[in-house]
């Protein structure tokens, strides 16, 4: 849902509200098949829901200086059920195996708060400089539990891990320079830093007293570009 409110001729307030919900199931072969099939399979059920709200305040002044300020909030839940069911046909042949080698459920709670801003300044009518930054704080909490299986006892107990809470923070700056000598020619360059927060590895069995968290990802990049429009708009070269 996008809402735009014109506070004045040069000031606009924008609200973006989103809800995301996904359910996914999978079943995979994990061992070499025999005449009665595989020994055990990998069964997974993945559910995630997110609510996000973003507010932006942007100016549209006739002068050389404009700005944009905003805030972002996210609240999410992720549940992953991991099961290793044993082939019932093999058990029926007298092989002493349990019905499941292990069934684990991981529940992750996510909360994100972010503030961002950007300044745009026209050095000349043809040359514009912009600089911005985003501050992000994200907290993630996990509760891994044993649903059933012979690996741990009792069934339904919380699996002890070394770290069940992470709260990374990050600054991501960017700068850009845009030159438009004519209406049909634009030359631009920018430097940016992107960020993705860490989380927990829930893609398999969870051993007690281990650290299943992983750290943040960060990437820095530079871009130089050219955009043209020629032959009365019939040809574009970028």
């Amino acid at each position: 849902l996008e809402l735009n409110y014109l506070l004045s001729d040069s000031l606009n307030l924008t609200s973006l509200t989103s809800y995301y919900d996904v359910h996914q199931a999978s079943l995979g072969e994990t061992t070499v098949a025999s005449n009665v099939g595989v020994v055990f399979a990998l069964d997974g059920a993945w559910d995630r829901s997110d609510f996000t709200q973003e507010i932006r305040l942007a100016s549209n002044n006739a002068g050389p200086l404009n700005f944009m300020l905003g805030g972002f909030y996210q609240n999410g839940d992720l549940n992953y059920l991991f099961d290793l069911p044993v082939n019932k046909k093999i058990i029926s042949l007298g092989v002493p195996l349990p019905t499941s080698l292990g069934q684990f459920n991981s529940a992750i709670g996510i909360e994100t708060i972010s503030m961002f801003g950007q300044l745009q300044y026209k050095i000349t009518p043809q040359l514009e400089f912009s600089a911005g930054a985003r501050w992000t704080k994200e907290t993630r909490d996990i509760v891994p539990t044993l649903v059933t299986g012979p690996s741990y006892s009792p069934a339904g107990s919380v699996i002890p891990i070394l770290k069940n809470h992470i709260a990374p923070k990050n600054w991501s700056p960017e700068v850009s320079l845009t030159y438009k000598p004519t209406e049909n020619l634009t030359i631009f360059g920018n430097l940016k830093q992107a960020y993705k927060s860490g989380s927990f590895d829930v893609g398999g069995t969870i051993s007690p007293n281990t650290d299943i968290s992983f750290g943040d990802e960060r990437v820095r990049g530079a871009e130089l570009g050219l955009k043209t429009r020629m032959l009365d708009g019939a040809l574009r070269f970028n």
Side-chain angles (χ1 to χ4, degrees):
L1 173 66
E2 179 175 344
L3 299 172
N4 288 281
Y5 183 66
L6 195 62
L7 298 175
S8 68
D9 291 340
S10 60
L11 208 57
N12 187 68
L13 184 67
T14 300
S15 169
L16 291 171
T17 307
S18 300
Y19 179 72
Y20 172 81
D21 188 47
V22 62
H23 306 274
Q24 176 179 304
S26 62
L27 182 65
E29 181 180 312
T30 59
T31 58
V32 177
S34 64
N35 60 334
V36 292
V38 300
V39 179
F40 65 92
L42 172 60
D43 188 9
W46 187 75
D47 301 304
R48 176 162 184 168
S49 62
D50 288 276
F51 168 81
T52 64
Q53 176 63 51
E54 181 173 297
I55 299 291
R56 294 196 306 261
L57 179 66
S59 68
N60 186 26
N61 297 315
L65 183 64
N66 278 286
F67 69 90
M68 185 270 293
L69 296 173
F72 174 84
Y73 174 78
Q74 174 192 20
N75 187 281
D77 293 289
L78 187 152
N79 284 275
Y80 183 70
L81 179 65
F82 175 83
D83 188 17
L84 295 173
V86 176
N87 190 336
K88 293 181 180 179
K89 179 65 177 179
I90 294 178
I91 297 177
S92 68
L93 296 176
V95 181
L97 289 173
T99 57
S100 175
L101 299 181
Q103 192 177 72
F104 307 87
N105 186 78
S106 298
I108 299 178
I110 305 167
E111 186 176 56
T112 305
I113 298 174
S114 180
M115 306 293 292
F116 53 89
Q118 186 181 54
L119 286 176
Q120 301 168 334
Y121 181 70
K122 288 189 176 182
I123 303 172
T124 69
Q126 293 80 29
L127 184 63
E128 181 179 272
F129 172 79
S130 68
R134 176 185 290 266
W135 175 82
T136 303
K137 178 184 178 182
E138 180 168 338
T139 59
R140 292 188 178 226
D141 297 275
I142 183 173
V143 180
T145 59
L146 170 71
V147 180
T148 183
S151 303
Y152 309 104
S153 180
S157 60
V158 176
I159 302 172
I161 55 176
L162 296 180
K163 187 184 296 184
N164 58 14
H165 172 81
I166 59 174
K169 300 177 183 178
N170 175 266
W171 281 97
S172 295
E174 66 176 49
V175 294
S176 66
L177 194 64
T178 304
Y179 180 53
K180 297 181 179 180
T182 69
E183 293 183 353
N184 298 317
L185 174 61
T186 300
I187 303 170
F188 64 93
N190 57 57
L191 297 171
K192 294 185 179 182
Q193 177 173 286
Y195 162 78
K196 181 181 178 182
S197 65
S199 188
F200 300 95
D201 181 9
V202 295
T205 58
I206 299 175
S207 300
N209 302 315
T210 58
D211 187 358
I212 61 172
S213 66
F214 57 88
D216 306 335
E217 299 177 32
R218 183 179 300 165
V219 60
R220 297 182 178 94
E223 182 182 27
L224 183 64
L226 173 74
K227 293 183 178 181
T228 66
R229 184 172 56 195
M230 297 176 285
L231 303 179
D232 294 327
L235 175 63
R236 294 186 181 186
F237 177 73
N238 298 329

